[in-house]
Amino acid sequence: MVPMAYDALVLVSFGGPERPEDVLPFLQNVTRGRGVPPERLAEVAEHYLHFGGVSPINQQCRDLLAAIRDDFAANGVDLPVYWGNRNWDPMLADTVARMRDDGITRALAFVTSAYGGYSSCRQYQEDIASARAAVGPDAPLIEKLRQFWDHPGFVEPHADAVRAALAQLDPAKRDSTRLVFTAHSVPMSAAATAGPHGGRYTAQLEEVARLVHAAAAPDLAYDLVWQSRSGPPQVPWLEPDVNDHLATLPEQGVTGVVVSPIGFVSDHLEVVWDLDTEALETAKQLGLDFVRAGTPGTDPRFVAMVRELVGERTAPDGERLRRRLGELPAWDTCPALCCVPPARRP
C-alpha cells in the first residue's frame, strides 16, 4: 500500500475539442496572448475539422486513466486518479475543485509531457498553481512528478515502435533507410532558456533520439527534426521542419524513412495530422517509402512507469529525494523534483 503522504494522483494533459463547435474556442485558449494571427488559427482549425472536429487526445487520456487505475489496483496502490486539462474540458480548475470536495488534501500530478522547458514543464506548473488559486485556500496541494524523458517506460516503447515500423519496409532497402525523430518545435528563445543552464529541451530530445536509435537500429543513420510550429512567422523556431528535412533526403540516396515522434506520449492530432497526413504526403511526392512509428499510449511499460514515479515520491526514501532539491541550484523552470535525474537507464 502507498503511504498516505499523498491521497490522490491527477493526470494533467493538454486537452482537445470533441465537437466541431469547440474547435475555434479551444484554439483560442491554446494561443491566448501569443500573437497568433487569425488566419493561422483558421488553418489549424481545418486540421481538426478534417477529423470531424474531434481531437484524439481526450480519449487517449481516458484510456490512460483507465490503465493507470487498473495498474494501481493490481499493484496495491490505493490512490484515486483524477484528470484535468490545460485547454479544454475537463478543465484542471474544475478537477481541483472536485478533488477538494472529495476531501483530497495533497496530490501528485502526472503530466503527459516527458521533457523540460517552458511549454512542456513550467507551464504545467503554472496551470496547477492557477487552478489551485481559482479553487481557493482549501485547494489540495499538488506536486508534479518529475520529467520522465529517459525512463525505460518511455524509451523502450518508442524503440519497439521503431523496430515494428522498420519491419514494414523492404529489408532489401535497409541500407538506404533513415530514421527521423520528431518533436514539437518551440521558439529558439524558449529552447535557449530551457532549464537552469539553457538548452534542456533540445538536449533531452537529443539523448532520447540516441537511446532509441541505439536500441532499435544502431546500423542506420538518424536525424532529430521538428514539427507543429505555430506562433508569429517573424519569431524564429527550432528547425528544420520535418517536411523540409524529408525534401533533402532523396539527394542523399535515402529511399525510405521511419518517422518516430519521440516528443510525444500518444498519437494525438499533431501526430496524425503533421506526420500521418502532411509528412506522409511530402514523402509520397518525393518517392520515399514512409512509415510512422507509434507512441507509448497505454503500453504496459509506460503505465507501470507512472506507478514507479509515484513510488519514488511515496517510498520511505522519497523524503530523501525531496531533500535533494535543496542541494540543487535555485531556478524556477523545473521545480518539484523535475530536475532530479532518474535512477536508471534503459
Side-chain angles (χ1 to χ4, degrees):
M1 301 291 288
V2 171
M4 294 309 294
Y6 301 95
D7 49 12
L9 175 75
V10 56
L11 173 68
V12 183
S13 194
F14 191 80
E18 297 190 276
R19 305 178 302 169
E21 55 266 39
D22 294 340
V23 171
L24 194 56
F26 160 75
L27 290 174
Q28 290 168 341
N29 282 350
V30 173
T31 60
R32 184 169 288 113
R34 290 171 52 189
V36 179
E39 56 270 20
R40 175 57 180 163
L41 288 187
E43 178 184 345
V44 176
E46 288 301 317
H47 301 170
Y48 285 90
L49 295 172
H50 178 81
F51 297 99
V54 179
S55 168
I57 195 170
N58 275 1
Q59 186 57 49
Q60 291 162 0
C61 283
R62 293 185 187 101
D63 294 343
L64 179 58
L65 198 70
I68 291 171
R69 286 171 174 157
D70 288 347
D71 180 83
F72 278 12
N75 290 278
V77 180
D78 187 17
L79 287 180
V81 185
Y82 295 80
W83 166 37
N85 287 328
R86 169 185 290 175
N87 296 301
W88 204 249
D89 298 330
M91 297 297 289
L92 183 56
D94 296 334
T95 298
V96 173
R98 182 158 63 90
M99 293 167 67
R100 175 204 58 197
D101 295 345
D102 289 347
I104 303 302
T105 61
R106 188 181 184 198
L108 292 167
F110 175 74
V111 169
T112 57
S113 175
Y115 297 94
Y118 178 72
S119 296
S120 52
C121 182
R122 181 175 175 180
Q123 190 174 7
Y124 281 107
Q125 294 279 6
E126 294 174 355
D127 294 335
I128 291 168
S130 296
R132 294 187 65 249
V135 170
D138 295 331
L141 297 174
I142 300 175
E143 300 175 17
K144 179 182 175 292
L145 293 168
R146 66 166 171 85
Q147 296 157 14
F148 52 87
W149 52 281
D150 58 352
H151 192 288
F154 180 67
V155 173
E156 290 173 0
H158 274 298
D160 282 352
V162 168
R163 293 188 191 99
L166 282 168
Q168 299 179 51
L169 294 175
D170 184 352
K173 298 180 180 179
R174 186 176 178 94
D175 289 347
S176 58
T177 298
R178 183 76 65 94
L179 302 185
V180 178
F181 297 108
T182 70
H184 204 300
S185 185
V186 299
M188 292 182 67
S189 58
T193 56
H197 306 296
R200 174 171 296 244
Y201 178 67
T202 51
Q204 289 175 344
L205 280 156
E206 287 166 357
E207 176 66 358
V208 173
R210 186 192 69 78
L211 290 169
V212 174
H213 169 256
D219 57 311
L220 299 182
Y222 75 93
D223 309 288
L224 173 64
V225 301
W226 310 97
Q227 64 172 88
S228 310
R229 185 217 151 98
S230 61
Q234 68 273 17
V235 176
W237 283 50
L238 292 173
E239 295 179 338
D241 177 79
V242 59
N243 294 283
D244 295 336
H245 179 68
L246 291 177
T248 70
L249 297 182
E251 64 191 32
Q252 301 175 42
V254 174
T255 62
V257 293
V258 165
V259 175
S260 172
I262 57 169
F264 306 105
V265 305
S266 67
D267 291 2
H268 52 63
L269 189 121
E270 287 176 320
V271 173
V272 298
W273 177 264
D274 293 352
L275 300 182
D276 297 354
T277 306
E278 289 190 335
L280 173 60
E281 181 59 29
T282 297
K284 286 180 177 177
Q285 293 174 2
L286 295 166
L288 289 170
D289 297 329
F290 178 102
V291 182
R292 196 266 295 170
T295 50
T298 56
D299 184 290
R301 294 166 295 185
F302 183 67
V303 176
M305 179 197 75
V306 179
R307 171 169 42 85
E308 291 180 21
L309 295 180
V310 170
E312 287 181 357
R313 301 292 288 275
T314 57
D317 65 349
E319 187 60 37
R320 178 185 60 80
L321 287 171
R322 288 188 287 275
R323 285 199 302 269
R324 284 181 60 187
L325 282 177
E327 302 169 6
L328 298 172
W331 62 78
D332 60 357
T333 53
C334 301
L337 283 178
C338 287
C339 295
V340 176
R344 60 191 178 97
R345 289 286 183 93

